[in-house]
Amino acid sequence: MTENAQQQPPAPDSELPTQYAPADVEGPLYERWVERGYFEADAKREKPPYTIVIPPPNVTGSLHLGHAFEHTLIDALTRRKRMQGYETLWQPGMDHAGIATQNVVERELGKEGKSRHDLGREAFVERVWQWKGESGGQISGQMRRLGDGVAWSRERFTMDEGLSQSVQTIFKRLYDDELIYRAERIINWCPRCLTAISDIEVEYQDDDGELVSMKYGDGDETIVVATTRAETMLGDTAVAVHPSDERYKHLVGKLIRLPLTDRSIPVVADEHVDPEFGTGAVKVTPAHDPNDFEIGQRHDLPAITVMDEHAVITVPGPFQGQDRLEARSAIVAALRAEGRIVAEKRPYIHSVGHCSRCKTTIEPRLSMQWWVKVAPLAKAAGDAVRDGRVKIHPQEMEKRYFDWVDNLHDWCISRQLWWGHRIPVWYGPNGEVVCVGPDDEAPTGEGWHQDTDVLDTWFSSGLWPFSTLGWPEQTDSLAKFYPNSVLVTGYDILFFWVARMMMFGLYAMDGTPPFHTIALHGMVRDQFGKKMSKSFGNAVNPLDWMDKYGSDALRFTLARGANPGVDVPIGEDWVQGSRNFANKLWNATRFALMNGATVEGDLPTRRRCRRRTAGSCPG
């Protein structure tokens, strides 16, 4: 053996095992980072700010691959900015998830043989808070497991005291500016959850149905219409045709008999009708269809509600008390008996909206609700992107954004729930209506009561970029970290969350948009490009892969497949390959240590790259 070989230090086999064990390293390392405050942000430091808010996961939720992908991207951005000398804030928090959370707690009560009505509103809300404290928010622990570098001391919840004040403040301002109003209009109604729901909570799928063509009127005044919802004919108040349709000009303005009822309804001419579709004539049910509602408004037609909140027929007669599906079959049978069925197509595949929570078929329903008048807010949100104050990446997503904000309908913000921000409006015994701000005293006395509805969850999450920083108080954090630097989120909520944040941010913060850049990522799919779903049998719990291969292996797999706005396929083999790569880095380090490498002392000063001065340095 040579003298040099004899002088080499012994191999430190006891210090580094031959195989990398992520569980032994990742958890303890992350906790040291948190304890030392590496992820915290100080609004009083003079460093330039860099801010990203987390898209708040539902308090009922758990980490899925979509979260893991999104959080990996945000973590990469924020860690890089910290190294570049920015005062970097990754703002964490959770959403109270009105319908989802109420459903969870109601199911728990059901196991006890109780309903929320047995408890009453106040006790039920207390029960939800109890559930939130004991069982909600498990995703926070899973985020730690993933290694998310968020400022945990700043964690917020959309129902906490400060954010509730933000909600009440902006509601009052919008109300005073006549941008919030109450009106009876068509909404998406879930007969199971018994509440209006937002467009994003409606899932469309192709269902087997039946297209029935039936004759209205008699003799020369007969007209054929078609429908997939025969039960709604009980609420028809007109038949509409196109003004230029020669086939029906002799009928426009006349009354025709509505079968199975003792009513006659007019034939009206309306530009909305497509004369090339079907018979060119459509039944008009203003209380149960959004397009029919608009026709009804234009022609001053009455709106007859034929179902209650459970989708049970309420019209007096042989169908009263029947469920809508039961009534559908019974009405078709009755029309067939009268010889009014012209054609039946079964099965008829068509797109039908379902509640995303309970999968019940949605019922369009005329209802008195609270609305946001979005036209001026949406215009401001569109202008901010058009004039370059806000950039959308990838740029081709701008068209989708403009298609949405330029055609946005007024937003229904009331929900018939008990869990959520209760609408801050009081009604008096003589028809008085008072909107109460956070600094106002609510009216008291006999006959006064508060509106029973709560606000759409998207209303409070639309305030997220500034409510989490203390608005409406003018805090140091608000001054330092607003506007946010970047929003990282999926393209699937560009309309429902991003557009709402744009509208509220510009309105509340004197025309300053909530962020400079919107970075849209795609969806995580399986290795064959198929959507991940429990029903497809290809859904993956990312914790399982982290247990098996380590968090870094999962994050590396997700990050290397990321392209703006493009869906990301992922398979277990790819995560295993990333684990093998991490193990190679481990063994390379082990080899270096075995051969005398050291990490003691100060890191060497980086040498200046000579090529940098020539403008060709790649680093």
Side-chain angles (χ1 to χ4, degrees):
M1 183 177 293
T2 66
E3 183 177 355
N4 287 337
Q6 292 174 345
Q7 292 177 350
Q8 288 180 352
D13 293 296
S14 60
E15 296 180 21
L16 287 183
T18 57
Q19 292 290 322
Y20 175 46
D24 296 339
V25 176
E26 292 174 346
L29 180 62
Y30 180 82
E31 292 307 319
R32 288 200 297 274
W33 289 341
V34 172
E35 290 168 5
R36 294 172 184 176
Y38 291 164
F39 305 137
E40 296 301 324
D42 189 343
K44 295 183 178 180
R45 290 194 187 119
E46 295 184 359
K47 296 178 181 180
Y50 186 82
T51 317
I52 296 180
V53 294
I54 193 171
N58 289 349
V59 68
T60 58
S62 59
L63 197 71
H64 56 65
L65 279 176
H67 289 127
F69 177 48
E70 185 168 81
H71 294 193
T72 296
L73 299 179
I74 299 175
D75 209 23
L77 290 172
T78 51
R79 287 177 188 254
R80 179 172 182 265
K81 286 298 181 180
R82 288 191 193 97
M83 291 189 288
Q84 290 178 327
Y86 287 79
E87 192 62 27
T88 301
L89 170 61
W90 181 6
Q91 172 67 51
M94 287 183 291
D95 191 282
H96 64 279
I99 294 177
T101 304
Q102 179 157 319
N103 282 347
V104 167
V105 178
E106 286 197 79
R107 283 197 296 269
E108 292 297 314
L109 285 174
K111 296 176 183 177
E112 303 171 13
K114 298 178 181 178
S115 74
R116 61 185 165 112
H117 300 286
D118 294 323
L119 272 65
R121 183 169 193 145
E122 185 175 341
F124 176 78
V125 171
E126 289 180 5
R127 179 70 176 258
V128 180
W129 277 109
Q130 179 184 348
W131 174 88
K132 192 263 180 185
E134 296 174 354
S135 305
Q138 62 173 314
I139 201 168
S140 295
Q142 295 168 337
M143 286 168 58
R144 290 175 179 267
R145 177 68 190 283
L146 186 64
D148 289 355
V150 301
W152 285 113
S153 68
R154 292 173 171 266
E155 187 175 12
R156 303 304 299 269
F157 179 55
T158 50
M159 285 285 286
D160 69 29
E161 184 177 353
L163 270 64
S164 294
Q165 183 183 17
S166 300
V167 169
Q168 195 171 355
T169 298
I170 201 163
F171 187 101
K172 171 68 171 173
R173 292 187 186 181
L174 290 164
Y175 181 87
D176 289 345
D177 288 342
E178 298 183 348
L179 293 173
I180 281 184
Y181 64 95
R182 192 168 183 245
E184 193 174 39
R185 300 180 62 180
I186 294 287
I187 46 90
N188 300 311
W189 181 263
C190 176
R192 159 61 181 79
C193 298
L194 299 180
T195 181
I197 65 174
S198 66
D199 292 338
I200 196 173
E201 292 164 322
V202 179
E203 294 179 347
Y204 287 90
Q205 66 185 48
D206 289 340
D207 283 2
D208 289 347
E210 180 181 19
L211 182 65
V212 179
S213 298
M214 48 196 178
K215 292 187 296 184
Y216 284 12
D218 298 295
D220 294 336
E221 296 181 352
T222 297
I223 195 166
V224 176
V225 298
T227 183
T228 58
R229 301 164 66 213
E231 69 279 8
T232 63
M233 60 90 60
L234 298 175
D236 287 356
T237 55
V239 171
V241 298
H242 194 273
S244 64
D245 196 329
E246 295 292 337
R247 294 171 295 177
Y248 303 116
K249 279 196 172 182
H250 67 290
L251 290 178
V252 173
K254 291 187 176 181
L255 295 175
I256 60 173
R257 188 168 76 85
L258 180 65
L260 307 183
T261 72
D262 58 359
R263 294 189 291 117
S264 292
I265 58 177
V267 177
V268 300
D270 194 275
E271 296 281 350
H272 172 76
V273 180
D274 180 2
E276 303 298 324
F277 182 78
T279 65
V282 296
K283 59 192 287 298
V284 182
T285 319
H288 290 278
D289 183 274
N291 293 323
D292 292 3
F293 177 79
E294 297 297 333
I295 295 175
Q297 293 289 296
R298 288 192 289 271
H299 298 276
D300 196 27
L301 299 173
I304 302 174
T305 300
V306 301
M307 297 176 222
D308 64 13
E309 64 271 23
H310 298 281
V312 171
I313 301 298
T314 57
V315 178
F319 312 109
Q320 186 175 13
Q322 294 182 353
D323 171 81
R324 55 182 167 171
L325 298 181
E326 182 184 5
R328 182 176 302 173
S329 298
I331 286 171
V332 171
L335 290 168
R336 189 183 298 113
E338 287 192 5
R340 291 188 173 273
I341 298 297
V342 176
E344 297 178 72
K345 185 175 181 181
R346 187 190 304 114
Y348 178 73
I349 309 300
H350 62 133
S351 182
V352 178
H354 295 76
C355 175
S356 63
R357 304 298 178 190
C358 66
K359 311 308 177 186
T360 301
T361 300
I362 291 301
E363 186 63 42
R365 186 169 186 260
L366 187 64
S367 180
M368 182 67 75
Q369 302 285 343
W370 286 94
W371 305 80
V372 172
K373 186 183 297 182
V374 300
L377 304 174
K379 182 181 184 304
D383 290 346
V385 175
R386 286 189 169 97
D387 63 25
R389 282 175 290 158
V390 178
K391 304 288 187 184
I392 295 180
H393 294 287
Q395 191 173 2
E396 56 264 28
M397 289 287 180
E398 286 186 1
K399 184 180 184 302
R400 289 192 186 187
Y401 177 79
F402 293 136
D403 286 345
W404 179 254
V405 297
D406 292 347
N407 299 285
L408 197 58
H409 298 294
D410 284 0
W411 170 21
C412 176
I413 56 172
S414 46
R415 300 290 179 266
Q416 291 63 55
L417 303 170
W418 287 358
W419 172 243
H421 297 100
R422 194 164 173 181
I423 288 175
V425 172
W426 271 254
Y427 305 101
N430 299 311
E432 303 96 331
V433 179
V434 177
C435 181
V436 177
D439 300 323
D440 302 331
E441 290 289 335
T444 57
E446 186 177 353
W448 282 94
H449 64 280
Q450 187 178 358
D451 197 298
T452 57
D453 289 352
V454 302
L455 288 164
D456 179 13
T457 299
W458 295 101
F459 190 93
S460 53
S461 62
L463 314 180
W464 194 246
F466 51 94
S467 64
T468 52
L469 299 173
W471 185 89
E473 302 298 325
Q474 298 304 306
T475 64
D476 291 339
S477 290
L478 187 64
K480 178 77 172 181
F481 296 114
Y482 188 93
N484 301 172
S485 305
V486 181
L487 174 73
V488 178
T489 191
Y491 62 69
D492 58 322
I493 55 173
L494 173 63
F495 321 126
F496 306 108
W497 186 46
V498 179
R500 283 159 170 70
M501 286 190 289
M502 288 284 285
M503 291 190 295
F504 281 164
L506 289 159
Y507 173 80
M509 302 301 291
D510 300 320
T512 302
F515 20 72
H516 299 306
T517 302
I518 301 169
L520 300 172
H521 61 74
M523 305 295 102
V524 178
R525 298 180 177 271
D526 70 13
Q527 68 231 56
F528 305 108
K530 190 174 182 179
K531 179 181 177 180
M532 286 190 172
S533 168
K534 290 181 180 179
S535 60
F536 294 156
N538 62 351
V540 175
N541 183 344
L543 293 178
D544 293 340
W545 282 355
M546 286 191 280
D547 286 342
K548 198 170 182 179
Y549 305 114
S551 300
D552 279 341
L554 176 62
R555 287 158 56 106
F556 180 74
T557 305
L558 291 165
R560 70 177 182 173
N563 283 302
V566 178
D567 290 349
V568 179
I570 185 172
E572 184 170 1
D573 289 349
W574 304 351
V575 186
Q576 184 177 3
S578 297
R579 189 276 312 272
N580 294 342
F581 175 67
N583 201 57
K584 287 182 179 180
L585 294 178
W586 176 271
N587 283 327
T589 303
R590 181 171 177 271
F591 177 80
L593 292 174
M594 290 173 61
N595 287 276
T598 178
V599 293
E600 295 178 0
D602 296 331
L603 291 174
T605 303
R606 188 175 68 174
R607 295 178 181 175
R608 184 173 179 82
C609 178
R610 291 176 181 151
R611 293 166 60 193
R612 184 183 299 276
T613 58
S616 61
C617 179

